[in-house]
Amino acid sequence: MAKERKSKEVKKRRKRKVDLVIISDVHLGTYGCHAKELLLYLKSIKPKKVILNGDIIDVWQFKKRYWPKSHMKVVKHLIGWMSQGVEMYYVTGNHDEVFRKFANFEIGTFKIVNQLDLDIDGKKAWIFHGDVFDVTMQYSKWLTKLGAIGYDLLILINKLVNNCSQFFGKGKISLSKKIKDKVKSAVKFINDFEQIATEIGAEKNYDYVICGHIHQPEIKEFKHGNKRVQYLNSGDWIENLTALEYHKGSWNIFQFKEEYYSTEHEEANDITDKTSKEIFGELLNDFNIGKK
């Protein structure tokens, strides 16, 4: 009994208070999504405000036959936060663009938006997913979708490579990340993306420009004329496993490290012990649906 009480106290102590957390590019419903790792992270924090900055559910690649319990568990946890009164914004992205039809939909503390103006301790923040700057998205959507399929295939190959690598006692590698880092056109695209976003942000007199989309976590300052703009990107939960955190006036890029959560793996394993129907039932209870 005392051991159980001590275990609960440890778990309670582990929750970090965060004023604002920004997560993007989770791609729930795809093979590359690290939902279990994301769930461990979500369970470790106690945020006041949450911004889901696009591509949380990958509607492009979504297949009914592939929706693991861990993916449902992430959705349940987010809705649990909503039921507790945590302010939450869902900023639409390109892979979940279907939700753009429901822009400004609001229920309780949850709201769907295409972009968000936010006051953060007296500074103006412009928050959007970022695909608006992607030329291929504007003019060749079919090409981008084809690229997404190829990217998903690369993730599957990467998993196979990592399984072999771990079998021989080697560490994990990210093929997609290595390709991005080496290909000059990809590097140029990222640099152009950051420059364009902050230039427009400066024109609109924003202090922060906060994006996702390019799967490249970053905190960097740009100067355009007399205006300084801080560019922030939340990264993703495919390659980098990162989120943006703002607490007590300071920004930080959180990066998931498996060893930090080694003692909590048993807690995450309860995902596999429940059916999707049971998890969905818990989700309804958290959201007070069907209760008088």
Side-chain angles (χ1 to χ4, degrees), residues 161-227:
V161 170
N162 279 333
N163 286 340
C164 294
S165 179
Q166 286 183 301
F167 179 78
F168 290 107
K170 305 291 184 180
K172 291 183 179 181
I173 61 170
S174 174
L175 294 177
S176 52
K177 184 172 173 60
K178 283 184 177 293
I179 290 170
K180 275 186 183 179
D181 291 344
K182 294 293 183 184
V183 178
K184 287 183 180 179
S185 59
V187 174
K188 184 179 184 300
F189 170 76
I190 290 169
N191 291 336
D192 289 349
F193 181 94
E194 294 171 351
Q195 286 285 345
I196 293 169
T198 53
E199 188 175 340
I200 296 173
E203 289 174 4
K204 294 176 176 286
N205 201 35
Y206 286 104
D207 300 293
Y208 301 124
V209 172
I210 304 173
C211 305
H213 185 53
I214 58 174
H215 295 206
Q216 192 75 20
E218 188 68 83
I219 297 177
K220 189 189 296 185
E221 188 173 82
F222 288 81
K223 186 177 180 182
H224 298 285
N226 295 322
K227 180 69 176 176

Side-chain angles (χ1 to χ4, degrees), residues 67-69 71-77 79 271 274-289:
W67 185 257
K69 296 167 187 176
H71 293 215
M72 176 65 86
K73 199 77 173 179
V74 168
V75 174
K76 176 186 177 296
H77 195 87
I79 291 180
I271 294 167
K274 296 177 182 177
T275 66
S276 294
K277 187 176 180 180
E278 287 172 331
I279 295 170
F280 187 70
E282 290 176 356
L283 185 152
L284 295 180
N285 287 334
D286 281 345
F287 210 41
N288 294 320
I289 293 177

Side-chain angles (χ1 to χ4, degrees), residues 21-26 38 41 177 215-218 233-245 252-256:
V21 61
I22 303 176
I23 299 166
S24 70
D25 300 275
V26 177
L38 175 57
Y41 168 60
K177 184 172 173 60
H215 295 206
Q216 192 75 20
E218 188 68 83
N233 196 298
S234 45
D236 66 285
W237 286 85
I238 300 288
E239 301 162 304
N240 298 292
L241 281 61
T242 54
L244 285 171
E245 295 181 348
N252 174 58
I253 294 176
F254 168 87
Q255 184 159 37
F256 182 90

Side-chain angles (χ1 to χ4, degrees), residues 30-289:
T30 67
Y31 296 110
C33 172
H34 284 78
K36 289 185 179 180
E37 289 83 352
L38 175 57
L39 184 61
L40 285 171
Y41 168 60
L42 297 179
K43 285 183 173 183
S44 74
I45 59 173
K46 188 177 181 180
K48 291 180 181 178
K49 187 177 296 183
V50 177
I51 297 173
L52 307 172
N53 199 7
D55 290 0
I56 304 303
I57 299 175
D58 196 322
V59 179
W60 283 8
Q61 302 294 322
F62 183 83
K63 298 176 181 67
K64 189 177 179 182
R65 66 178 179 273
Y66 186 77
W67 185 257
K69 296 167 187 176
S70 57
H71 293 215
M72 176 65 86
K73 199 77 173 179
V74 168
V75 174
K76 176 186 177 296
H77 195 87
L78 293 172
I79 291 180
W81 274 348
M82 288 164 53
S83 70
Q84 294 165 20
V86 175
E87 190 177 351
M88 189 178 299
Y89 294 92
Y90 193 120
V91 182
T92 57
N94 52 308
H95 283 252
D96 48 18
E97 62 184 348
V98 65
F99 298 135
R100 286 176 174 161
K101 298 176 183 177
F102 306 101
N104 300 316
F105 169 80
E106 216 171 325
I107 180 169
T109 59
F110 175 80
K111 187 174 183 179
I112 298 175
V113 294
N114 292 331
Q115 61 177 338
L116 180 63
D117 287 350
L118 199 65
D119 182 282
I120 302 177
D121 289 342
K123 291 188 176 182
K124 289 177 61 180
W126 184 27
I127 304 168
F128 57 99
H129 182 62
D131 59 292
V132 67
F133 298 135
D134 192 340
V135 176
T136 60
M137 271 301 303
Q138 294 175 30
Y139 301 109
S140 305
K141 187 174 286 188
W142 69 271
L143 185 62
T144 308
K145 288 189 176 182
L146 184 62
I149 294 169
Y151 182 77
D152 217 32
L153 180 60
L154 181 61
I155 294 296
L156 284 174
I157 295 171
N158 202 159
K159 279 190 172 182
L160 179 61
V161 170
N162 279 333
N163 286 340
C164 294
S165 179
Q166 286 183 301
F167 179 78
F168 290 107
K170 305 291 184 180
K172 291 183 179 181
I173 61 170
S174 174
L175 294 177
S176 52
K177 184 172 173 60
K178 283 184 177 293
I179 290 170
K180 275 186 183 179
D181 291 344
K182 294 293 183 184
V183 178
K184 287 183 180 179
S185 59
V187 174
K188 184 179 184 300
F189 170 76
I190 290 169
N191 291 336
D192 289 349
F193 181 94
E194 294 171 351
Q195 286 285 345
I196 293 169
T198 53
E199 188 175 340
I200 296 173
E203 289 174 4
K204 294 176 176 286
N205 201 35
Y206 286 104
D207 300 293
Y208 301 124
V209 172
I210 304 173
C211 305
H213 185 53
I214 58 174
H215 295 206
Q216 192 75 20
E218 188 68 83
I219 297 177
K220 189 189 296 185
E221 188 173 82
F222 288 81
K223 186 177 180 182
H224 298 285
N226 295 322
K227 180 69 176 176
R228 291 186 180 275
V229 180
Q230 196 164 22
Y231 168 83
L232 303 101
N233 196 298
S234 45
D236 66 285
W237 286 85
I238 300 288
E239 301 162 304
N240 298 292
L241 281 61
T242 54
L244 285 171
E245 295 181 348
Y246 180 83
H247 190 62
K248 293 185 177 180
S250 180
W251 285 101
N252 174 58
I253 294 176
F254 168 87
Q255 184 159 37
F256 182 90
K257 300 292 184 185
E258 193 168 350
E259 57 268 26
Y260 297 165
Y261 293 86
S262 58
T263 57
E264 299 195 18
H265 277 306
E266 289 183 10
E267 185 184 355
N269 287 340
D270 68 348
I271 294 167
T272 59
D273 297 331
K274 296 177 182 177
T275 66
S276 294
K277 187 176 180 180
E278 287 172 331
I279 295 170
F280 187 70
E282 290 176 356
L283 185 152
L284 295 180
N285 287 334
D286 281 345
F287 210 41
N288 294 320
I289 293 177

